[in-house]
């Protein structure tokens, strides 16, 4: 990239830059997505080599005109085009505020072309409303909508739209109303924002009011406007839920999204926001301790408190004025933590005393705040009420650039910095930033990194899949035959043969080698002792890495067994696994890597072995394998839940998993309703909601949440007895809690899910409903529902309104902050049937096999599908389940093989 910029740097205009951009985008559309393309485009704009109009004009030329023939384009190519089109629109939206009139006017032509093409792509509006998930064109429509709002408002601010006879106004007026009508079938809240933009910019004078809408659209809008909301309340539970979601798996680092969520809640009260954010972070830590989570998980939360939270507080601290300071806010937050509330959970250990874990975390947090100059160091003792046991780091606050320079001068410094990432001192962001920048610079030196990336994509697609030898290429068949002959022949593996097969080539056929070896032994063509000797050779250092895919294949093979009648040679199977997991001898050089591979694959292996143990309870050779796996296993922090948690929730009294979710929500509402500011949060894990959404279906879970809101409203009516409430009611509290449950992020969110508020299911790549999308459907049909179920309909409108407010700001800012490896990239990189993702995500099959029936029975539905009509007819969550058509691997992992989320199933 640096070379490209230098080449273009001598040019006086952007023509060469535009040519380069068009070539780059054409390559991206026709081949696999390069995750660094958007980063390159950003640098070209920043460096002045291309302009925003260049980007939009080229994007329209390459992508916009393909809307009409979208169905004729192959799916992978269309996905790449839609991803790039959406991403470029968001990138342009982010830059609009920096453009002057000279650059704003050339944008008008591609802008109106997008409006026109989008509207004519949907001649029948029912095509949109009938779609159960967001189509790629709908996702593009969201991006166009947000670009439209920003662009039109910017034109007005510049005076371009002042004169009524202006050709610019006439042009936009022609296409704006039908575009709003099309968007209204995707997201009514976004359509309302467009209507406000239209009204504010006087774009509605030349068309008859309502002409672009049918009568049902108008009736729906009027009904929604008639619903009166209650008192707006920001509960302690909401931030607690949000941070739990951020930290419930791989910690999420989308600062923009978090800042926008916080901004939407603050209402200008920065002091309360800082206090509430600190309180919520310590609530999350206390909850993890109360739940007896692993030290690894607790350390992640402690690192968030000391290394992340101070950086989140920095922009807000600058907005405080005397006498309110950050120190005052921190003191108020820590005073909310009552040690007596945690005694029963920690065997009478005073968590806020000198020996408690919360006390350590509190001290670490304060010194990190002092490091970032949020508070003076001398104030720490006063806040703690005791002499602190630690001090500021001797090296002081790190500088990312200084660390980068140190690594360039002394490469061994990087290794030291990696170890320092675990420190709770507040310097981890600078360390991580320096290391990441170094990695990026190494990648930019040349395009050498593209070759490893291509191989990794191929490996993740094919790695653990065992192919029929006849389907392999002639070269691969020859290599496979050579490995079988050399492994099990009398002479062993020769150096000459090793030189003919590269490690890359070997790993792509390793799973097939393991399968063919197992099948040969099962059929008697290969002796058991010969098999063990061959596998022993695979444990040598030079070949040991193949064990990764080998164990993945064996796990998948075990999980494919559905009953004791499965045609698997158990003696050969467990003999082979024993030789790989508990080898009789292994070199010291190999032992460490062997343990690491077992630890990495342990979640899959353990579940597969448990699955086999249930089918064959009398096999004595399974337990030793489980013992070894558990000895090296580390409970990772991912979206997955444990078998014990699933059993507990599915057997919950009164309705199984559905009732367990409602009980959790009810306890959070009660906590907020009765808390005196110091009580401990109820036992909570965001995994429960994610599991319920995947197992029962988002529509069923949403119906359950709406039932809880109705219950709270009925209780309010009974308590008030017709009187007017003088403050927030439990319904207002419940709305805030449930709104946060709906909009809380997960690691599988893509940029489109941030923006649309009604995205397809986060975990399924767009094949099932999500909570937000299900709510969007109900909100669109609220007027029809109100004729039979007025109370339920009103609750739906209020909830949708809260969700829209809480997430709209996040959508506006997050548009321009998508990572390059966002939506779409992974979808094309790892598509395949029977790939590594199959073996690793199948871990959930066995974990859930014996529980699904119990969940169905306890939920009182027998697995019946609760469709949209059932929701509109007001059925409660206990009356139906959306369990049909959901693959078992999605029940816990939340991973579609296409998005590489199977990696969560491994402990790296």
């Amino acid at each position: 990239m640096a070379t490209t910029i230098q080449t273009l740097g001598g040019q006086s205009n952007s023509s060469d830059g535009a040519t380069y951009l068009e070539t780059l985008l054409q390559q991206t559309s026709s081949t696999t997505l390069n995750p660094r393309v958007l980063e390159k485009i950003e640098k070209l704009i920043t460096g002045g080599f291309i302009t925003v109009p260049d980007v939009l004009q080229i994007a329209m030329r390459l992508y916009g005109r393909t809307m009409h023939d979208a169905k004729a384009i192959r799916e992978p190519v269309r996905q790449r085009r839609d991803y790039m089109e959406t991403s470029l629109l968001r990138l342009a939206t982010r830059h609009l505020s920096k453009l002057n009139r000279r650059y704003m006017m050339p944008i008008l032509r591609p802008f109106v072309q997008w409006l026109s093409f989008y509207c004519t792509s949907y001649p029948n509006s029912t095509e949109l409303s009938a779609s159960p998930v967001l189509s790629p064109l709908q996702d593009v429509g969201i991006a166009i909508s947000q670009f439209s709002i920003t662009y039109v408002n910017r034109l007005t601010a510049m005076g371009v739209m002042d004169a009524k006879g202006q050709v610019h106004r006439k042009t936009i007026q022609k296409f704006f109303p039908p575009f709003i009508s099309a968007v209204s079938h995707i997201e009514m809240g976004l359509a309302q924002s467009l209507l406000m933009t239209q009204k504010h910019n006087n774009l509605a004078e030349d068309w008859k009011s309502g002409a672009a809408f049918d009568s049902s659209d108008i009736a729906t809008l009027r009904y929604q406007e008639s619903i009166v909301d209650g008192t707006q309340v920001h509960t302690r539970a909401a931030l607690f839920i949000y941070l739990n979601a951020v930290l419930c798996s791989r910690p999420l680092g989308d600062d923009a999204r978090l800042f926008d969520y916080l901004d939407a809640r603050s209402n200008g009260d920065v002091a309360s926001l800082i206090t509430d954010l600190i309180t919520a972070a310590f609530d999350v830590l206390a909850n993890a301790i109360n739940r007896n989570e692993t030290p690894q998980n607790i350390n992640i939360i402690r690192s968030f408190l000391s290394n992340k939270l101070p950086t989140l507080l920095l922009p807000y601290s600058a907005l405080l004025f005397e006498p309110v300071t950050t120190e005052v806010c921190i003191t108020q937050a820590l005073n909310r933590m009552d040690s007596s509330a945690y005694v029963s959970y920690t065997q009478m250990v005073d968590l806020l005393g000198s020996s408690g874990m919360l006390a350590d975390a509190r001290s670490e947090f304060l010194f990190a705040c002092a490091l970032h100059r949020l508070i003076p160091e001398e104030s720490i003792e006063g806040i703690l009420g005791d002499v602190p046991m630690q001090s500021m780091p001797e090296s002081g606050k790190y500088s990312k650039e200084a660390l980068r320079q140190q690594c360039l001068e002394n490469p061994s410094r990087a290794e030291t910095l990696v170890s320092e990432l675990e420190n709770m001192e507040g310097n981890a962001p600078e360390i991580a930033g320096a290391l990441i920048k170094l990695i990026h610079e190494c990648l930019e030196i040349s395009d050498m990194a593209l070759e490893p990336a291509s191989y990794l994509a191929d490996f993740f697609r094919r790695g653990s899949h065992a192919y029929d030898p006849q389907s392999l290429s002639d070269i691969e068949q020859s290599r496979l035959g050579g490995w079988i002959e050399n492994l099990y022949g009398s002479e062993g593996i020769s150096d000459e043969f090793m030189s003919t097969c590269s490690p890359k080539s070997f790993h792509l056929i390793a799973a097939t080698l393991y399968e063919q070896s197992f099948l040969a032994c099962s059929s008697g063509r290969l002796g058991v002792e010969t098999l063990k000797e061959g596998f022993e050779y695979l444990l040598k250092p030079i070949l040991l890495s193949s064990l990764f895919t080998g164990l993945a294949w064996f796990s998948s093979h075990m999980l494919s067994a559905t009953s004791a009648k499965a045609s698997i040679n158990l003696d050969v199977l467990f003999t082979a696994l024993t030789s790989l997991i508990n080898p009789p001898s292994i070199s010291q050089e190999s032992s460490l890597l062997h343990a690491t591979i077992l630890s990495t694959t342990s979640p899959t292996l353990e579940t597969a072995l448990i699955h086999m143990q249930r089918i064959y309870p009398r096999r004595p050779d399974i337990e030793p394998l489980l013992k070894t796996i558990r000895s090296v296993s580390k409970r990772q922090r991912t979206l997955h839940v444990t078998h014990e948690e699933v059993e507990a929730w599915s057997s919950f009294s009164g309705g199984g998993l559905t009732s367990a979710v409602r009980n959790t929500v009810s306890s959070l509402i009660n906590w907020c309703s009765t808390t005196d500011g110091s009580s401990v949060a109820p036992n909570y894990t965001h995994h429960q909601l994610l599991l319920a959404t995947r197992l029962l279906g988002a529509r069923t879970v949403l119906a359950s949440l709406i039932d809880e809101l109705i219950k709270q409203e009925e209780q309010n009516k009974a308590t008030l007895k017709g009187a007017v409430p003088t403050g927030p009611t439990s319904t207002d509290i419940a709305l805030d809690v449930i709104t946060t449950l709906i909009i809380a992020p997960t690691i599988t969110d893509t940029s489109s899910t941030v923006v649309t508020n009604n995205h397809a299911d986060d975990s399924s790549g767009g094949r099932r409903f999500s909570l937000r999308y299900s709510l969007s459907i109900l909100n669109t049909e609220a007027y029809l529902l109100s004729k039979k179920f007025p109370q339920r309909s009103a609750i739906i409108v209020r909830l949708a309104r809260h969700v829209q407010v809480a997430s709209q700001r996040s959508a506006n800012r997050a548009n321009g902050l998508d990572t390059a490896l966002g939506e779409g990239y992974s979808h094309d990189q790892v598509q395949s049937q029977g790939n590594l993702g199959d073996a690793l995500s199948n871990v959930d099959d066995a974990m859930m096999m014996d529980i699904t029936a119990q969940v169905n029975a306890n939920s009182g539905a027998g697995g019946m599908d609760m469709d949209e009509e059932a929701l509109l007819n007001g059925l409660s969550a206990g009356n139906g389940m959306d369990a049909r058509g959901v693959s078992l691997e999605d029940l816990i992992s939340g991973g579609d093989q296409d998005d590489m989320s199977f990696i969560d199933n491994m402990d790296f």
Side-chain angles (χ1 to χ4, degrees):
M1 183 62 209
T3 304
T4 303
I5 292 179
Q6 289 171 3
T7 302
L8 296 173
Q11 304 299 326
S12 58
N13 55 60
S14 66
S15 60
D16 286 346
T19 302
Y20 171 78
L21 173 64
E22 185 161 4
T23 302
L24 182 65
L25 293 180
Q26 285 175 337
Q27 292 173 347
T28 302
S29 298
S30 59
T31 60
T32 57
L33 282 173
N34 184 338
R36 292 167 53 210
V37 166
L38 295 177
E39 181 183 346
K40 290 183 178 180
I41 296 173
E42 184 76 47
K43 289 185 176 180
L44 288 172
I45 294 176
T46 305
F49 304 109
I50 61 174
T51 65
V52 173
D54 290 336
V55 173
L56 292 173
Q57 289 164 3
I58 293 171
M60 168 53 63
R61 201 157 53 237
L62 294 179
Y63 309 126
R65 297 180 183 273
T66 63
M67 289 184 184
H68 294 297
D69 58 346
K71 294 181 180 179
I73 302 174
R74 290 189 305 109
E75 182 70 16
V77 176
R78 184 170 60 81
Q79 285 184 353
R80 288 193 290 269
R81 289 185 179 183
D82 293 331
Y83 165 68
M84 288 306 302
E85 183 176 6
T86 303
S87 299
L88 292 175
L89 280 166
R90 292 173 183 160
L91 183 148
T93 303
R94 184 171 72 251
H95 282 273
L96 284 177
S97 62
K98 308 171 186 176
L99 302 182
N100 56 29
R101 183 172 180 139
R102 173 189 173 188
Y103 292 102
M104 288 290 286
M105 299 315 300
I107 294 175
L108 183 61
R109 181 179 180 85
F111 169 59
V112 295
Q113 284 179 325
W114 254 303
L115 296 182
S116 173
F117 288 163
Y118 191 80
C119 294
T120 54
S121 295
Y122 284 105
N124 183 2
S125 62
T126 58
E127 183 178 336
L128 286 168
S129 57
S131 176
V133 295
L134 277 183
S135 71
L137 273 178
Q138 288 172 284
D139 198 32
V140 172
I142 298 296
I144 298 174
S145 300
Q146 293 171 333
F147 178 85
S148 301
I149 294 171
T150 306
Y151 181 63
V152 171
N153 287 333
R154 180 72 174 152
L155 287 178
T156 298
M158 297 172 67
V160 175
M161 308 280 281
D162 283 350
K164 292 186 178 180
Q166 281 279 10
V167 65
H168 312 110
R169 177 186 300 282
K170 293 285 187 180
T171 303
I172 297 176
Q173 278 179 337
K174 180 179 179 180
F175 297 104
F176 218 62
F179 177 72
I180 297 175
S181 179
V183 173
S184 69
H185 294 279
I186 305 174
E187 169 57 58
M188 188 61 70
L190 193 55
Q192 290 173 330
S193 298
L194 286 166
L195 281 172
M196 291 298 295
T197 301
Q198 183 185 55
K199 181 179 179 181
H200 175 71
N201 295 282
N202 297 320
L203 292 174
E205 294 183 4
D206 291 349
W207 66 291
K208 295 180 180 180
S209 178
F213 294 86
D214 56 38
S215 58
S216 63
D217 293 330
I218 298 173
T220 299
L221 288 171
R222 287 176 177 170
Y223 171 72
Q224 292 176 347
E225 291 175 357
S226 71
I227 301 300
V228 179
D229 222 334
T231 304
Q232 183 73 32
V233 59
H234 297 311
T235 62
R236 181 171 176 177
L239 270 173
F240 169 70
I241 293 168
Y242 198 93
L243 292 185
N244 259 293
V246 168
L247 296 168
C248 81
S249 55
R250 295 198 303 267
L252 305 178
D254 188 349
D255 288 358
R257 187 173 183 182
L258 178 57
F259 279 135
D260 281 320
Y261 174 73
L262 296 174
D263 292 345
R265 296 182 62 83
S266 69
N267 292 330
D269 188 353
V270 178
S272 295
L273 177 63
I274 292 175
T275 303
D276 292 344
L277 181 58
I278 297 170
T279 301
F282 277 95
D283 282 340
V284 172
L285 176 60
N287 177 67
I289 296 172
N290 296 345
R291 285 173 43 80
N292 293 319
E293 294 195 10
T294 64
Q296 178 191 18
N297 293 348
I298 291 175
N299 282 340
I300 288 176
I301 303 174
R302 289 176 64 181
S303 182
F304 175 83
L305 277 164
S306 60
N307 289 313
K308 184 67 176 178
L309 186 55
T311 65
L312 296 177
L313 298 179
L314 279 171
Y316 293 111
S317 65
L319 303 177
L320 294 175
F321 299 97
E322 295 285 356
V324 180
T325 63
T326 308
E327 181 181 343
V328 172
C329 297
I330 291 174
T331 302
Q332 290 177 348
L334 296 181
N335 285 340
R336 291 181 180 179
M337 313 303 291
D338 181 9
S339 61
S340 63
Y342 304 99
V343 169
S344 60
Y345 293 100
T346 55
Q347 291 76 45
M348 303 303 290
V349 175
D350 180 9
L351 293 179
L352 291 181
S354 60
S355 60
M357 192 177 298
L358 280 176
D360 292 341
R362 183 175 62 168
S363 179
E364 292 161 358
F365 168 68
L366 290 175
F367 275 102
C369 287
L371 184 71
H372 288 274
R373 299 182 179 179
L374 288 167
I375 59 175
E377 183 180 2
E378 56 270 18
S379 68
I380 294 178
E381 182 175 342
I383 298 174
L384 290 174
D386 196 1
V387 177
M389 301 297 292
Q390 67 183 85
S391 61
M392 296 275 282
E394 294 182 2
S395 55
K397 188 177 184 303
Y398 282 160
S399 162
K400 180 173 69 175
E401 187 56 37
L403 294 178
R404 170 184 166 276
Q405 192 60 40
Q406 291 173 19
C407 292
L408 291 175
E409 297 172 357
N410 179 17
S412 63
R413 174 63 170 146
E415 185 175 351
T416 306
L417 291 176
V418 170
S419 64
E420 291 185 30
L421 281 170
E422 299 182 2
N423 295 342
M424 310 291 181
E425 297 177 340
N427 272 322
E430 299 298 324
I431 297 174
L435 294 175
I436 291 173
K437 188 171 184 179
L438 285 168
I439 293 172
H440 276 232
E441 290 175 347
C442 291
L443 292 176
E444 287 188 350
I445 291 175
S446 68
D447 289 331
M448 291 174 59
L450 295 179
E451 182 180 349
S454 176
Y455 169 73
L456 287 175
D458 198 23
F459 174 74
F460 282 129
R461 186 175 67 251
R462 301 176 52 195
S464 68
H465 182 60
Y467 292 88
D468 183 338
Q470 299 302 318
S471 68
L472 298 176
S473 67
D474 292 342
I475 295 178
E476 288 176 325
Q477 287 186 33
S478 174
R479 288 169 179 162
L480 177 63
W483 276 107
I484 293 176
E485 180 181 351
N486 279 265
L487 269 179
Y488 304 115
S490 58
E491 297 181 2
I493 299 179
S494 65
D495 294 338
E496 181 182 356
F497 171 73
M498 288 288 288
S499 65
T500 64
C501 184
S502 69
K504 290 182 181 180
S505 301
F506 168 67
H507 284 94
L508 290 177
I509 62 171
T512 305
L513 174 62
Y514 277 98
E515 181 195 50
Q516 292 300 311
S517 301
F518 171 74
L519 294 178
C521 190
S522 298
S523 63
R525 288 176 293 170
L526 185 67
V528 172
E529 292 302 320
T530 305
L531 176 75
K532 291 166 64 176
E533 291 174 2
F535 279 7
E536 181 181 353
Y537 202 94
L538 290 175
L539 297 182
K540 293 185 178 297
I542 192 172
L543 300 175
L544 183 55
S545 54
S546 69
L547 185 61
F548 180 88
T549 50
L551 292 178
W553 180 84
F554 273 109
S555 297
S556 180
H557 192 61
M558 287 188 285
L559 290 170
S560 67
T562 57
S563 69
K565 297 180 180 180
S567 57
I568 297 179
N569 190 321
L570 299 178
D571 291 334
V572 174
L573 172 66
F574 291 115
T575 297
L577 283 173
T578 299
S579 66
L580 293 173
I581 297 174
N582 289 325
S585 63
I586 188 170
S587 68
Q588 185 175 0
E589 185 180 0
S590 297
S591 60
L592 183 59
L593 179 57
H594 181 264
T596 301
I597 294 175
L598 291 183
S599 178
T600 302
T601 57
S602 60
T604 313
L605 268 176
E606 182 178 5
T607 304
L609 289 169
I610 291 174
H611 174 62
M612 295 298 287
Q613 195 174 49
R614 285 180 176 151
I615 299 177
Y616 309 100
R618 297 185 179 180
R619 294 286 310 192
D621 40 10
I622 299 179
E623 190 58 36
L625 298 175
L626 279 171
K627 184 177 180 180
T628 300
I629 293 300
R630 287 165 176 163
S631 69
V632 298
S633 176
K634 296 178 181 179
R635 284 283 303 278
Q636 69 275 36
R637 194 170 185 84
T638 71
L639 285 179
H640 315 300
V641 296
T642 65
H643 189 274
E644 293 75 18
E645 286 175 320
V646 177
E647 285 186 323
W649 295 333
S650 64
S651 60
F652 195 87
S653 61
L657 184 54
T658 304
S659 293
V661 171
R662 281 195 63 176
N663 180 72
T664 298
V665 175
S666 180
S667 63
L668 289 168
I669 295 170
N670 292 335
W671 176 50
C672 297
S673 302
T674 59
T675 182
D676 60 358
S678 61
S679 61
V680 63
N683 189 311
Y684 179 78
T685 172
H686 202 65
H687 291 92
Q688 185 188 62
L689 181 70
L690 298 175
L691 176 67
T693 302
R694 294 184 181 95
L695 178 58
L696 305 178
R699 294 169 292 178
T700 301
V701 175
L702 178 62
S704 178
L705 297 177
I706 293 172
D707 287 341
E708 183 62 31
L709 281 168
I710 293 174
K711 185 193 82 171
Q712 296 294 332
E713 188 166 60
E714 292 295 336
Q715 291 176 350
N716 289 336
K717 290 179 180 179
T719 302
L720 293 172
K721 297 179 180 179
V724 178
T726 57
T729 65
S730 62
T731 306
D732 300 322
I733 293 173
L735 278 168
D736 189 53
V737 170
I738 293 175
T739 293
T740 307
L741 289 171
I742 292 174
I743 69 171
T746 68
I747 62 170
T748 49
D749 278 347
T750 63
S751 50
S752 64
T753 66
V754 176
V755 174
T756 64
N757 302 331
N758 62 353
H759 52 286
D761 188 83
D762 292 346
S763 66
S764 66
R767 284 194 281 271
R768 295 197 307 276
F769 285 177
S770 72
L771 291 173
R772 267 186 263 187
Y773 184 72
S774 299
L775 179 61
S776 177
I777 291 176
L778 290 182
N779 189 41
T780 302
E781 304 294 340
Y783 173 66
L784 297 177
L785 181 62
S786 67
K787 298 176 181 179
K788 290 185 178 181
F789 306 98
Q791 183 185 30
R792 192 176 194 86
S793 178
I795 285 290
I796 289 170
V797 172
R798 292 180 63 186
L799 179 59
R801 191 179 293 160
H802 279 248
V803 168
Q804 181 71 17
V805 170
S807 54
Q808 187 64 52
R809 286 175 56 97
S810 176
N812 291 339
R813 190 186 298 181
N815 283 340
L817 295 171
D818 304 331
T819 59
L821 189 58
E823 63 187 276
Y825 171 65
S826 57
H827 289 219
D828 285 334
Q829 293 292 350
V830 289
Q831 282 188 351
S832 177
Q833 292 182 349
N835 57 20
L836 184 60
D838 293 333
L840 301 182
S841 62
N842 277 344
V843 60
D844 307 313
D845 288 14
M847 184 174 286
M848 298 298 296
M849 192 72 71
D850 301 329
I851 296 172
T852 303
Q854 183 181 7
V855 173
N856 290 342
N858 289 338
S859 297
M864 295 179 61
D865 184 11
M866 171 178 264
D867 58 15
E868 181 181 343
E869 182 180 357
L871 277 178
L872 295 179
N873 287 333
L875 295 179
S876 67
N879 292 334
M881 289 179 57
D882 187 12
R884 295 188 303 178
V886 179
S887 60
L888 284 174
E889 61 263 26
D890 286 330
L891 300 185
I892 304 177
S893 70
D896 184 277
Q897 65 187 22
D898 291 350
D899 63 10
M900 293 175 66
S901 55
F902 65 83
I903 294 177
D904 278 336
N905 220 17
M906 314 197 73
D907 185 0
F908 292 104

